Amino acid sequence: MTAMQDVCVDLVTEGAELAALVAGLPPGRWSAPTPSPGWTVRHQVAHLSMVARLVGLAVRDPAAFERETAPVRKDFEAGMTALLDEELALPEGELTDRWAAHRAAAEQALAAVPRREPVPWLAGPLPASVLAAAGLMELFAHGQDVRDALGLPPEHTDRLGHVAFLGTRTRDLAHHLRGLEPPAEPFRFELTAPSGVRWDFGPADAEQRVTGPAVDFCLLVTRRRHRADLALTATGAAADRWLDIAQTYLGPPGPGGLRTGQSRV
């Protein structure tokens, strides 16, 4: 599931499927509001194009990536908004073409890097395979927003195993973002894939446990659904608290704690 070749192949497939979904949208549907407050379908695609551009730049030219993202590290929200505005300024046709070009460049660059090689990213270097998983997480989360906006049912596959992996790897992130001390004890995650197989992460004898469908877990850690609407079970006080704050991405969590609230990645 976490092999570099697998995640790169899955990244390509996931991106192509979402691109095909929006390719034929009539102009009026691009302005459809999504669950992310203030964001339309166009914002979602622009964000994905921006992220793909940054991923490709991080792999191909780390020095340029550091210069380009310096404003983000100084002020995350303002820096990300400025980068997004560059993509939003394009007409829809040019935006989809640009997204396709950025995706292709990022996919090719990641596939050529040894999976454990560190690549610079916004909060610090990540192994190339983890950065690819983060790119797939972006497609999953924003693809969910697009489908929600258009009233389309999701099409979940075992590709979201990479998102589940990232969700377990970023267990401590939500605590750090809120100024909280992460729990010292390890967690065990037992998740059922769309295909029915079980994915296990963490020591088998851990007392703190999270179990349930992998789809629900991915929706939770990307803050696309509230835990009360999902079939996830926590065993242990620390695991239970974490389900309330879990997130896989940097930046403010947004109103994801509300039953109807979802936030931007």
Side-chain angles (χ1 to χ4, degrees):
M1 181 195 317
T2 57
M4 185 58 179
Q5 180 61 34
D6 289 346
V7 71
C8 284
V9 170
D10 288 348
L11 182 67
V12 172
T13 303
E14 194 79 9
E17 288 189 0
L18 184 55
L21 187 150
V22 302
L25 287 180
R29 299 300 281 156
W30 281 86
S31 60
T34 70
S36 296
W39 277 29
T40 64
V41 170
R42 194 161 182 266
H43 285 84
Q44 303 288 349
V45 174
H47 176 87
L48 289 170
S49 180
M50 175 195 72
V51 170
R53 182 172 74 85
L54 292 180
V55 169
L57 191 63
V59 179
R60 297 190 315 273
D61 192 341
F65 171 82
E66 295 294 336
R67 292 192 300 271
E68 179 84 5
T69 58
V72 177
R73 288 187 293 278
K74 182 178 180 180
D75 185 327
F76 186 87
E77 285 286 278
M80 291 295 281
T81 297
L83 291 172
L84 179 65
D85 285 345
E86 295 179 23
E87 306 291 332
L88 284 173
L90 300 172
E92 282 87 359
E94 292 183 30
L95 176 57
T96 54
D97 289 346
R98 181 162 173 165
W99 179 32
H102 290 330
R103 283 200 334 271
E107 292 160 359
Q108 292 166 12
L110 282 169
V113 178
R115 69 186 185 96
R116 296 185 183 277
E117 184 169 317
V119 177
W121 196 237
L122 299 173
L126 294 175
S129 60
V130 177
L131 183 56
L136 206 148
M137 178 272 295
E138 293 276 349
L139 291 166
F140 169 82
H142 291 281
Q144 183 67 53
D145 285 346
V146 169
R147 289 180 172 88
D148 284 345
L150 301 176
L152 300 174
E155 297 181 1
H156 298 307
T157 72
D158 281 11
R159 291 193 298 272
L160 58 74
H162 306 294
V163 183
F165 156 74
L166 191 68
T168 67
R169 183 184 171 94
T170 55
R171 186 203 70 164
D172 293 350
L173 176 63
H175 295 85
H176 292 310
L177 291 173
R178 292 164 176 80
L180 303 174
E181 186 69 23
E185 59 266 49
F187 281 19
R188 170 74 167 183
F189 301 89
E190 297 177 353
L191 307 173
T192 303
S195 66
V197 303
R198 201 176 85 177
W199 295 328
D200 296 335
F201 304 90
D205 60 349
E207 294 184 2
Q208 304 294 324
R209 311 174 78 86
V210 174
T211 61
V215 170
D216 287 16
F217 181 78
C218 293
L219 289 169
L220 180 87
V221 297
T222 58
R223 298 183 70 78
R224 263 51 197 180
R225 296 291 186 270
H226 189 279
R227 66 174 292 189
D229 298 321
L230 302 170
L232 295 172
T233 300
T235 301
D240 186 67
R241 285 193 297 270
W242 180 76
L243 288 185
D244 287 329
I245 63 173
Q247 70 182 75
T248 54
Y249 55 90
L250 294 173
L258 303 174
R259 289 293 296 270
T260 58
Q262 296 174 319
S263 58
R264 293 177 296 182
V265 175

